[in-house]
Amino acid sequence: MPAMSRTLLCALAAILSLVASAGTARADIVPGGSGTGSESQVGGGQDGDTISATAGGVVFDRSKNGSGASVGPVTAASAWTPPACWYAPKYTPAQLEATLKPIWAAESTGAEWEATQRARYVDGEPYKDFNKDKTGEGYFWDSYVNESFPPGWDSCDEDIFWVDTGEAPPPEIENAITPEILAQLAYAEIRVPSTEVTLAPEGATKVNLPTWAWLDGAEFKPVSVTASVPVLGIQATTTAEPVALKIEPGTGDAETYPASGVCEIRNGRIGEPYARGKADRTPPCGVRYLRSSGDGSYPLRATVTWEISWTGTGVNDPRDLPNGEFGAEQDVVVQEIQAINR
């Protein structure tokens, strides 16, 4: 039962590594690098590093990503999600031997399972002595899991398998790492700025008074993350570009500008800042409340849509990924007045 063997292998490997390290977490075995935990640092290890390697040899370059305390991940506008698990190089022959032998020695997986594993990796069915005679000519591949463990995280249950350098993994292996899968993994690493909009009037607005809304154009620019597997020489860059802002007033007693509530990005900015002399104009992006919020406020929600695409090894023309969204709520106080002097 591959799925059961996968669960036992992972669980026992974790237990044995903790015992062997006497309280110090054992470094993941990553071809071409080293690391700790589910994400290992390359050339650093301090918070804020923009280049890191995850289990599976995937390296993320986040130097062109959104930054700051207010950034957050985009959510796909459709039901699509990045891969929950995938296969990638993990072990050299010596590393696989060092991983499996302590598990077999623990005698907790059962004699039948251990015998099957020894036959596969030691006795030549199909690998002889962990494929040591092919050291430097390829890697053993294994499955890796999205660290948030979304649905389907346990679906990659193939036994560890060997792939020669320069060769493709067996065609029956689904979710073997490719530039497209790298692009999808990079999608999950995208971070975009907060969507709190600037409103005019500030503080509190008035019933029937057009309220202008806009976002700081300097922050709303394309961001990107590049994912690569150095030992395979493949990479992909996923880019998110803001295209529209959707305003939801938080009450049915309101009208939006435009009527759809969707403000398109124009000339590199979303909406238009209010300035003196614009009081008689209709805002290109905003809202008009028709009823007072009383002693409370309305939860205005602003959601930016990001158009997402990728390029990578063998792919020069951008290919689409599902649009992403990132939104936030802010309280708007609406006061009742009898007349407004402008």
Side-chain angles (χ1 to χ4, degrees):
M1 295 185 293
M4 179 60 72
S5 66
R6 171 75 55 213
T7 301
L8 289 170
L9 178 59
C10 292
L12 283 170
I15 292 171
L16 288 169
S17 67
L18 288 173
V19 171
S21 61
T24 301
R26 172 180 173 273
D28 290 339
I29 299 173
V30 181
S34 62
T36 56
S38 61
E39 180 167 316
S40 58
Q41 299 295 328
V42 174
Q46 301 299 317
D47 291 341
D49 281 352
T50 57
I51 300 180
S52 60
T54 66
V58 178
V59 175
F60 293 109
D61 181 351
R62 304 182 182 89
S63 60
K64 297 180 181 178
N65 206 4
S67 60
S70 64
V71 300
V74 294
T75 301
S78 64
W80 178 89
T81 58
C85 64
W86 63 93
Y87 296 95
K90 187 169 186 181
Y91 304 106
T92 64
Q95 288 170 337
L96 183 60
E97 180 182 29
T99 299
L100 292 183
K101 280 192 171 180
I103 296 174
W104 299 342
E107 298 182 351
S108 299
T109 56
E112 182 179 353
W113 184 86
E114 180 184 331
T116 300
Q117 293 288 294
R118 287 184 181 276
R120 178 175 175 82
Y121 298 110
V122 178
D123 299 335
E125 300 177 19
Y127 309 115
K128 182 71 173 178
D129 192 22
F130 296 98
N131 249 13
K132 288 179 183 176
D133 62 335
K134 302 192 74 173
T135 297
E137 300 176 15
Y139 292 101
F140 280 104
W141 289 41
D142 198 3
S143 63
Y144 297 95
V145 177
N146 183 316
E147 63 182 14
S148 65
F149 295 96
W153 69 269
D154 55 351
S155 62
C156 295
D157 56 10
E158 297 285 347
D159 282 322
I160 299 167
F161 57 92
W162 177 267
V163 178
D164 285 333
T165 299
E167 297 295 323
E172 67 271 17
I173 301 295
E174 296 183 5
N175 270 19
I177 200 73
T178 62
E180 183 173 9
I181 289 179
L182 284 174
Q184 295 170 358
L185 296 176
Y187 186 111
E189 300 298 317
I190 290 288
R191 297 294 181 267
V192 296
S194 168
T195 55
E196 183 169 339
V197 296
T198 303
L199 300 174
E202 294 183 76
T205 188
K206 310 297 182 183
V207 171
N208 288 320
L209 177 66
T211 300
W212 293 58
W214 68 94
L215 286 164
D216 184 353
E219 291 193 18
F220 282 81
K221 56 188 178 183
V223 299
S224 66
V225 172
T226 296
S228 62
V229 180
V231 299
L232 297 180
I234 61 175
Q235 61 85 30
T237 297
T238 298
T239 301
E241 184 173 358
V243 292
L245 168 70
K246 183 177 182 181
I247 296 289
E248 297 173 276
T251 174
D253 293 316
E255 297 175 348
T256 57
Y257 304 102
S260 64
V262 177
C263 308
E264 303 291 340
I265 186 168
R266 300 183 187 279
N267 300 319
R269 66 185 183 187
I270 300 177
E272 181 181 325
Y274 178 78
R276 291 177 62 89
K278 295 182 178 180
D280 295 327
R281 290 175 49 185
T282 298
C285 183
V287 60
R288 182 166 70 96
Y289 287 97
L290 307 178
R291 187 184 297 273
S292 166
S293 59
D295 295 330
S297 60
Y298 292 126
L300 180 144
R301 182 168 185 82
T303 302
V304 173
T305 297
W306 296 77
E307 192 172 77
I308 302 180
S309 62
W310 71 278
T311 58
T313 303
V315 178
N316 296 320
D317 296 326
R319 295 186 180 179
D320 292 338
L321 286 169
N323 284 351
E325 297 179 338
F326 185 56
E329 288 185 355
Q330 59 196 91
D331 294 331
V332 178
V333 175
V334 182
Q335 299 173 339
E336 183 76 64
I337 62 172
Q338 298 300 318
I340 300 175
N341 295 319
R342 301 190 185 185

